[in-house]
Amino acid sequence: MSATPTTLRSLNGVDLSEEVSDLLRKETRAAHENAENTEAAVWLTRGALDKDEYIRYLVILWHVYSALENALEVHSSYPVLAPTYNPALLARTPALSSDIAYLLCTPESEWQCHPLALSISQNIPAGLLEYTDRIRTATTSHDPSTLLAHSYVRYLGDLSGGQQIGHRIAKAYGLDDTTGLGTQFYQFKKLGGNSPATTRSDMSTIKDWFRKGMNEGVGDDRERKAAIISEANIVFSLNEGILRLLRPPSQTKVSTPKDTSAPFPKVTAKEGSFTVAGVLSFMLAMGIAHFILVTNGFLLNYGLEELDRVRAWVTCFISTTIAVAS
């Protein structure tokens, strides 16, 4: 691979004999810090975004990962990319789709027709378009090696800081991250197994495997290293562009992690009391559910399936409505 003269000049003084994984860590540190210290990144990591805005962020990410993972599949046998290609372990597109559907209380096959999703797909924001276009440019290149930079920025971020964000997101929006409902994006399986990766050691094992794969794929090609480092810095900048698309929280006070531990009002047996909003939400949801069952018919197996569907919908509806009302 031939790096451009501009790329090589920008890395003047960098020891390109080092492993690409070490070079990426050192030479993207400033870009990484810039991205994680943006105001929108703070909103996200503290779980301060409004719930609809958080879902909108997931939809934006779905477009990014869909483009990236389609590109990696196309070039899965390319020598530079093959050692780190493991969709069963890393792929985030299916997880994002599951989370979006759950948070929208919509079947997974239908969420892309939801107004919130359509507001993005029918009018793609400039920052998102720039990001996906960059991925497609690398995909159609005669040498798609720079896709490794996109994988590095996204997946190692998900395996590192993303884990902490996942726990805070679960607290902020009343999700149970032990079940994975609504938080699949932040959850991985252990390397070489099907059980969940739940410890720091599990995550470190995956990250070490990924770094080893990068080093194996890139080898000692200095021009390729230079091109991948340059692309990784661009990817961090593109990620900042995604974060700039986020709208500020509607509440002026940004809560800290301590403040996000109880997003819904707690009711214990000792207190024996419910909020008015909770009671009204329950009554409204049950009334709508009764109407659905009556109008659609409650007959034999179809009726039982309909009941299960309505029960799940009512549960989601109540949680969402109480969260808004409180």
Side-chain angles (χ1 to χ4, degrees):
M1 180 178 191
S2 298
T4 65
T6 301
T7 298
L8 292 174
R9 283 198 301 272
S10 67
L11 292 172
N12 186 34
V14 175
D15 183 3
L16 292 173
S17 67
E18 294 185 41
E19 299 276 22
V20 70
S21 61
D22 293 329
L23 288 168
L24 281 168
R25 177 176 52 81
K26 296 175 183 177
E27 301 305 320
T28 64
R29 183 178 290 117
H32 187 181
E33 291 175 353
N34 288 339
E36 68 182 6
N37 289 324
T38 60
E39 188 175 29
V42 174
W43 299 334
L44 176 64
T45 56
R46 293 185 176 182
L49 292 173
D50 294 351
K51 187 175 182 181
D52 280 353
E53 189 62 12
Y54 173 67
I55 299 171
R56 180 172 170 270
Y57 172 69
L58 294 185
V59 173
I60 290 171
L61 282 187
W62 180 87
H63 284 277
V64 171
Y65 279 94
S66 180
L68 173 59
E69 290 170 356
N70 285 336
L72 293 174
E73 182 179 7
V74 169
H75 297 291
S76 59
S77 61
Y78 192 74
V80 175
L81 303 172
T84 55
Y85 183 68
N86 189 339
L89 176 68
L90 297 175
R92 299 292 88 194
T93 306
L96 283 163
S97 180
S98 174
D99 289 347
I100 294 165
Y102 180 78
L103 292 168
L104 288 175
C105 304
T106 304
E108 192 166 346
S109 61
E110 299 177 13
W111 71 259
Q112 292 185 54
C113 296
H114 189 282
L116 188 151
L118 290 175
S119 69
I120 295 170
S121 62
Q122 293 182 349
N123 186 24
I124 300 177
L128 173 57
L129 185 61
E130 183 181 5
Y131 202 149
T132 53
D133 278 352
R134 187 76 189 186
I135 293 171
R136 293 187 182 97
T137 298
T139 307
T140 57
S141 170
H142 70 282
D143 183 349
S145 297
T146 53
L147 286 172
L148 187 62
H150 290 264
S151 295
Y152 168 79
V153 173
R154 294 252 59 105
Y155 292 136
L156 286 196
D158 298 336
L159 289 161
S160 302
Q163 296 302 300
Q164 296 178 350
I165 297 174
H167 292 307
R168 292 174 183 176
I169 291 297
K171 291 181 179 180
Y173 305 119
L175 304 172
D176 184 354
D177 57 353
T178 61
T179 65
L181 295 175
T183 59
Q184 288 286 330
F185 175 62
Y186 305 100
Q187 300 186 10
F188 290 82
K189 294 179 181 178
K190 290 182 179 179
L191 181 64
N194 289 319
S195 56
T198 57
T199 67
R200 184 173 298 179
S201 176
D202 292 338
M203 298 301 174
S204 294
T205 298
I206 300 173
K207 289 188 286 186
D208 289 343
W209 163 82
F210 191 90
R211 293 187 184 103
K212 182 179 178 181
M214 286 196 301
N215 295 337
E216 177 187 340
V218 176
D220 294 325
D221 189 325
R222 298 191 179 197
E223 291 186 348
R224 181 167 275 131
K225 289 176 185 177
I228 291 172
I229 292 168
S230 176
E231 186 73 8
N233 279 294
I234 291 171
V235 177
F236 274 113
S237 178
L238 292 170
N239 189 52
E240 282 191 62
I242 291 295
L243 292 171
R244 284 194 293 270
L245 297 176
L246 298 180
R247 299 161 182 146
S250 58
Q251 296 181 357
T252 55
K253 179 182 178 181
V254 177
S255 60
T256 63
K258 283 186 177 181
D259 298 326
T260 62
S261 60
F264 299 141
K266 292 183 178 180
V267 179
T268 64
K270 183 176 179 180
E271 292 170 340
S273 61
F274 296 85
T275 64
V276 173
V279 173
L280 290 177
S281 298
F282 177 79
M283 292 174 64
L284 176 60
M286 289 307 297
I288 295 173
H290 178 266
F291 173 78
I292 292 172
L293 289 175
V294 171
T295 55
N296 286 352
F298 189 65
L299 301 173
L300 301 177
N301 292 335
Y302 174 79
L304 295 176
E305 293 173 2
E306 187 74 5
L307 179 61
D308 288 338
R309 183 182 69 82
V310 170
R311 183 185 294 118
W313 177 81
V314 168
T315 301
C316 188
F317 178 86
I318 291 172
S319 297
T320 303
T321 306
I322 290 177
V324 173
S326 56

